[in-house]
Amino acid sequence: MKFIPSCPDVAPYGLTCEKWLPIPASRLDRHNEIELLYFPEGGSTILVNNNLLQVPGHRLIVFWALLPHKTISFVSDKEYFTCTIPLYMFLSWAMDKHFQELLLQGEVLAAPDASNRRMDELQLNQWWAEMGDSPSESLQAVV
């Protein structure tokens, strides 16, 4: 998968976990989901709400994707994880309210180090396997 520039602004992605090709986005994206990014090899430079961020590899980051964002560059040519959680679903989960508030205030939150790397990669691979990388692949698996 890769970013599709023809996708309308603020169009929903829904609940997804996909592996994307490391291709810089051609335009800013916005959608009303919580987005998780994880770069298993290398890292990336991303722009979120006019802030240029260096994202190291092996660290889960999360932000509210209604903020304008795009990938700028990549350290590796390996696929990375992009997961989205609809905002209504995220807000319904019993989790730390302060964490939710920080995201809704526009903070980009990142794991402080790579100590959870193995667990993050196992969980993301499990989500990716369960959700399928694209609707067509999921349909082919059923057929």
Side-chain angles (χ1 to χ4, degrees), residues 28-30 45-53 63-64 66-70 72 106 108:
L28 291 169
D29 193 20
R30 293 176 356 123
T45 300
I46 62 172
L47 183 69
V48 179
N49 207 26
N50 290 323
N51 295 308
L52 201 58
L53 306 169
F63 60 95
W64 186 18
L66 195 58
L67 301 171
H69 62 281
K70 73 183 232 173
I72 302 292
V108 177

Side-chain angles (χ1 to χ4, degrees), residues 14-88:
L15 181 63
T16 68
C17 187
E18 302 171 333
K19 289 184 181 180
W20 281 26
L21 297 171
I23 299 171
S26 58
R27 68 166 179 83
L28 291 169
D29 193 20
R30 293 176 356 123
H31 46 96
N32 198 22
E33 283 105 358
I34 298 299
E35 186 161 322
L36 290 84
L37 295 175
Y38 184 83
F39 302 91
E41 301 290 330
S44 178
T45 300
I46 62 172
L47 183 69
V48 179
N49 207 26
N50 290 323
N51 295 308
L52 201 58
L53 306 169
Q54 302 295 324
V55 180
H58 313 294
R59 301 214 188 141
L60 193 62
I61 70 161
V62 60
F63 60 95
W64 186 18
L66 195 58
L67 301 171
H69 62 281
K70 73 183 232 173
T71 53
I72 302 292
S73 65
F74 298 87
V75 174
S76 170
D77 63 353
K78 305 290 184 201
E79 293 178 318
Y80 66 98
F81 288 96
T82 298
C83 303
T84 57
I85 305 162
L87 185 63
Y88 76 88

Side-chain angles (χ1 to χ4, degrees), residues 71-115:
T71 53
I72 302 292
S73 65
F74 298 87
V75 174
S76 170
D77 63 353
K78 305 290 184 201
E79 293 178 318
Y80 66 98
F81 288 96
T82 298
C83 303
T84 57
I85 305 162
L87 185 63
Y88 76 88
M89 185 180 291
F90 175 77
L91 293 174
S92 73
W93 294 345
M95 62 174 36
D96 183 72
K97 293 296 180 196
H98 182 65
F99 175 73
Q100 289 179 335
E101 289 169 2
L102 288 173
L103 289 176
L104 295 178
Q105 291 168 2
E107 295 291 327
V108 177
L109 304 177
D113 55 46
S115 61

